[in-house]
Structure formats: structure tokens, C-alpha cells
Amino acid sequence: DADDADDADDAFTERKNNGFHFLAFETRAMAPFHHAPILAQKQLPMIFDLDETLLQAFTLSSLDRRAEAIRRAHSEAVSESAERASGDEKTRADLPTDAAGKTVAGALGSFASSRGGADAARVARQRREEDMARLKHDRAMLAQYVAENCVIDNRGRKIAAAAESATTAPGEVTFRPVIRLPSPHCRGGQMIFTRIDPANKGTSMLVHVRPGWEEMYGYLAGLDRRADGERKTQNARCAAFVCTMSESQYAQEMWRLLDPRGALIAPKDLAHRVVSVKQGAELKTLEKAVGSWGIAKELCVVLDDRTAVWEPRARPHILAVAPFMPYATDTGPGLRGEAPGEAGVLGAARRMLEKTRMDLFMTYERFAKFHAKFPNAPFEPPAGSLTRRDADNSAVSESVRDTEPFFKTSRPQPPDVSETLPPLMNAHAKEAARAVAQMGGAARSAAGAGSRLNAMLGGIAAPRVAGAVKTLASASFVKNAGGEIRGAGEHEKRDPGIPPESGAGAGDDAREKAAAAAAA
């Protein structure tokens, strides 16, 4: 108590000149874990990535760069077609391609392509044309917003910008001109126009919000728990954090647009809970994302479209999704899996989060009840935390000491997302692979044996594993000497020091095997 602490301080002060002294305080075993507020409120610690996971943002210059990339891809495809016609054929893999759109194997929203050859080239060309049409439409709207602080929507209505307050520093508030519209490209999405620096029109941005975010936001913020307009005691279902490789001011504004109520992260906490990691110089870690908040790393779930940018220890905690790329549908899943509600990528992610949260806190309830019933039970570390190497057991081989648990126990174990999430990801991957195989089988049966469609669908394969790279489409905010801004693609290219993707997502190996078996 306070008196004991004061006595200890006095004693330490009297003897501090005699050498080092250590003070210890006794508490019940696992008491800090029992009384952690996150567990008491049943909030799931969530770490969000921003670009290509929840949104994509563009400036006029980054839209122009993306348009040039589409034109370059089209020219390369035309050259490839000509070489094939002349007999000097190259595979698609031999040609330089836009780095965007690489999808983590088994990620929610990933798919296996069933097309090849001339058919694949035709579909890719059609998608590039659609991408360019969307891009031209959106660039015209962004240019109008830059010039007039208003846009003309698809119904011909003139929508003027409204001032929204944003906390830029403790005690400092600025007002940004913001326009929010439903996306004309995919149902359930949103288009938002904002200006990072209200006094500098060169910092104007167009933000595409991924379909399904509104439903996920409502669930995580607990907005469905309101009754008669009154908020119940326990509201939010998650404790939200952001860990991104984008610039800090840009990242805070993007999250503010996603969380306008401040229901997940209060405006006063933005500077502390939105963490920017230096691109290329370091990996994202759970410690960097939540370390200063005293949250057990075992409880954290990460929502990201890339896994290789995270420390290896964090990868079993990643709920991987396919990248959201409105203008790169020829190189990735594009908008095929984007839909509001349960049908889209974020809908699938929300269901998995519900299951993870339920399993996590059911495990905690069993763990807490055991220690409440046996308060004097001797301390026992989690069963998987010690290996034979830790015990220095020389009677077994080196490989066994590295991996085999030192002991097994019948005690209820503390919750750990790395034990809960990978099986859910594996189950999702198997279900998706089974669905693809069934669709292929049904189509082959309908087409008849020996048909061209039968042969084409027989080659369905699992998605190719590749490092998911963010490029010029990310459009993060960075000022140059001239006061203009450039897209995240200029500083978010993969660093050579980051290892390539290799089984990085939760249970990638099992997903690949399941997908390959189902495709066969």
C-alpha cells in the first residue's frame, strides 16, 4: 500500500550510497494478467494497416503515374501478343509487370485464375480499359475539387466541401475541406476528398475506402449495441491501433476519415496509437504497435495485406487480406471480391474476427475461473512457452529440443491469438479451394469431356506465392522541396533488406497444399 511504499522509499534513500539495492513487491500469481482492462472489457486488440488494406489514396500526380503504368502494361501486352504471333513467345512472367497486386497466399479475397493464353490476355486488356476509364473519371473529379472545393457527382449534383476538424497536435486543431460520396465503382465503397494541408491545394487527395468497412467499423466500435440512442456501458469490441509505413500526418488523417466519430481511437490519442514505421529501414513489430500501452502481444490481431513487412513472431497474428487496388485489377484480384456486408473481403474478415474474439475470451474465462478457484496454485508458464532447449535437456536431439514443448499440462491456458487464428485461416483457405474446385468441376461437366472449356478449367491452380509489394498506387503524403506531395509509391517500394514472402501468412503452407489438392 502507500505507507509501505513510502517506508521502502525512505529505507532505500538512507542506504543508496552503500551500493545497489533491489525492491520486490509480492502479488498473486498472474494477477496483472487477470486484471488487464482489455480482458475485463473483452476488447480485441486490433492493429490495422491502411494503404491497400482499408483504403487507397491518390493525388493528381500519383493518378498520372498510375495511368502511365496502365499504358505501359498495355504496350507490353501488345508486344507480347505480336511476339506470340511471330513465334517468338515469352511467358507473362518473363515480361516486366506492375509490382502492385501481389497477393499473400491464402489471403481473404484471393482467387485462383482459371484462364490462360489468349483468353487471359483478352480479360487483362478489358480490365486495363476499365481501370483507365475509372481513373480518368476520378482524376477529373479530383481536379475539380482542387480548383473549386466541390465536385459534380454521377447524378449531376454539385457537392460542396464541408469543414471537418482534425487534431494535428496536442491542443492544435485544423479544419480540412472534406467531401464524402458513395463510390461509383463498387457498391458499399466510399470516395472521400480531403486536403492534408488546408492552405496547400497540392496536398489534395482522393481516398477510396474499401467496401465493407462501414459494417466492420460498426461491429468493432459496438455501434449496434446502442439502445434508444443511448450507449451501453461496454461499447467498443476492439482496442484499435494503426501500424503503417506511411508518413505520420498522412496516416493520422486517413484514420480520422475512417473513424470520424473517434469511436475506436479518440482524437487526443491519434498521435500515440497511429504508429509510422520507417519504410525499408525496419520491420513492423507488435512491440512498436502496442508496446507503450501495456497490452499482451499474445492477444493482438493484425489486419494487413502484406506479411513480409512484419517480424516473424507477428506473422501468426496476421489476418491477411487481398490488396485493395481500384486501378490495378489486371495484376491482382481487383474489385472482383469487393462487396458490402457479408459478401466482400472485409465481410469475411469481420466474421473471422468475431470467431477469433469469441474463442479468445472463452479461453480467458476458463483460465480465469481456474485461478479464481485455485488462487494459491503454483505458478506455471504457458505450456508452449518452454521448450526442451530452455530446460537444456541433453538427452534428446538438438532438433527436438528446439521445437518440442518441455511439458504438457491439463491446466486451462491463457489466450493466444497465434493458437486461434491460424486454424481459422487454414479452414477458410480449404473452403475457398474446395469452392473453386467445385465450380471448375461443374463447368467441366456442363461443357462435356474433351471440350476446350474442360481442358482450360482442368488447369486451375493455387494462387502463386509472391511478396506483396506496394508501389506507386499507395499515395502516401510526403512533401518535397517544392511544397508538392508525392505518392507512397515513391517511398514504399520494397526494400532489398526485407526478405521475400515465404510462408508468411498464418498457415500458408497448409493453405497452398489444400488449394493445390483441390485444384487437382
Side-chain angles (χ1 to χ4, degrees), residues 43 157 289 320 353 376 385 474:
Q43 291 183 334
R157 299 175 301 179
L353 288 175
N376 297 319
S385 64
S474 298

Side-chain angles (χ1 to χ4, degrees), residues 144 148-153 155-161 179:
Q144 184 181 22
E148 306 175 22
N149 274 0
C150 67
V151 297
I152 304 297
D153 68 6
R155 297 181 180 180
R157 299 175 301 179
K158 186 175 183 179
I159 310 297
I179 299 176

Side-chain angles (χ1 to χ4, degrees), residues 233-506:
T233 303
Q234 294 183 0
N235 190 32
R237 293 186 174 95
C238 92
F241 301 85
V242 175
C243 189
T244 176
M245 289 185 172
S246 302
E247 191 270 342
S248 178
Q249 190 178 3
Y250 161 85
Q252 291 181 34
E253 172 63 3
M254 293 303 104
W255 181 260
R256 188 194 67 80
L257 295 174
L258 293 172
D259 181 17
R261 296 181 175 91
L264 294 179
I265 300 179
K268 63 183 179 63
D269 293 330
L270 275 177
H272 307 291
R273 295 177 75 161
V274 177
V275 178
S276 293
V277 176
K278 188 175 181 180
Q279 169 67 28
E282 53 187 338
L283 292 174
K284 297 181 183 180
T285 69
L286 298 177
E287 181 66 29
K288 290 170 187 171
V290 302
S292 62
W293 293 85
I295 293 177
K297 313 304 181 293
E298 293 80 5
L299 303 178
C300 295
V301 176
V302 178
L303 186 68
D304 204 332
D305 66 298
R306 293 194 290 169
T307 56
V309 296
W310 284 89
E311 61 175 338
R313 171 193 171 190
R315 292 173 188 173
H317 294 254
I318 298 176
L319 201 171
V321 295
F324 174 56
M325 311 186 71
Y327 308 128
T329 61
D330 62 319
T331 57
L335 303 180
R336 291 174 60 182
E338 306 300 342
E342 299 290 328
V345 175
L346 291 187
R350 179 166 60 89
R351 292 194 302 273
M352 201 165 291
L353 288 175
E354 289 185 53
K355 175 65 174 171
T356 300
R357 179 175 175 270
M358 181 181 68
D359 290 350
L360 203 68
F361 290 108
M362 286 181 63
T363 301
Y364 173 68
E365 291 293 337
R366 290 192 293 268
F367 176 76
K369 286 180 180 178
F370 174 85
H371 284 278
K373 186 176 182 180
F374 304 102
N376 297 319
F379 172 76
E380 185 177 287
S385 64
L386 288 182
T387 64
R388 292 186 184 273
R389 170 175 286 280
D390 298 316
D392 195 25
N393 186 340
S394 59
V396 294
S397 69
E398 185 80 10
S399 60
V400 172
R401 288 207 307 272
D402 283 338
T403 58
E404 189 173 300
F406 176 55
F407 65 89
K408 295 183 179 180
T409 178
S410 59
R411 278 192 188 186
Q413 296 296 297
D416 190 340
V417 166
S418 66
E419 301 292 334
T420 303
L421 186 58
L424 294 179
M425 294 290 288
N426 286 336
H428 170 82
K430 292 177 182 177
E431 183 76 21
R434 189 179 303 113
V436 170
Q438 289 174 350
M439 286 189 293
R444 289 197 301 272
S445 298
S451 68
R452 179 173 175 272
L453 180 61
N454 189 309
M456 181 179 69
L457 291 174
I460 295 178
R464 184 175 60 184
V465 180
V469 184
K470 296 185 179 182
T471 56
L472 46 87
S474 298
S476 177
F477 168 74
V478 175
K479 282 190 178 181
N480 60 24
E484 297 179 350
I485 63 175
R486 55 190 173 90
E490 298 185 18
H491 63 89
E492 280 209 16
K493 292 182 172 64
R494 182 173 298 283
D495 183 77
I498 296 179
E501 198 81 63
S502 57

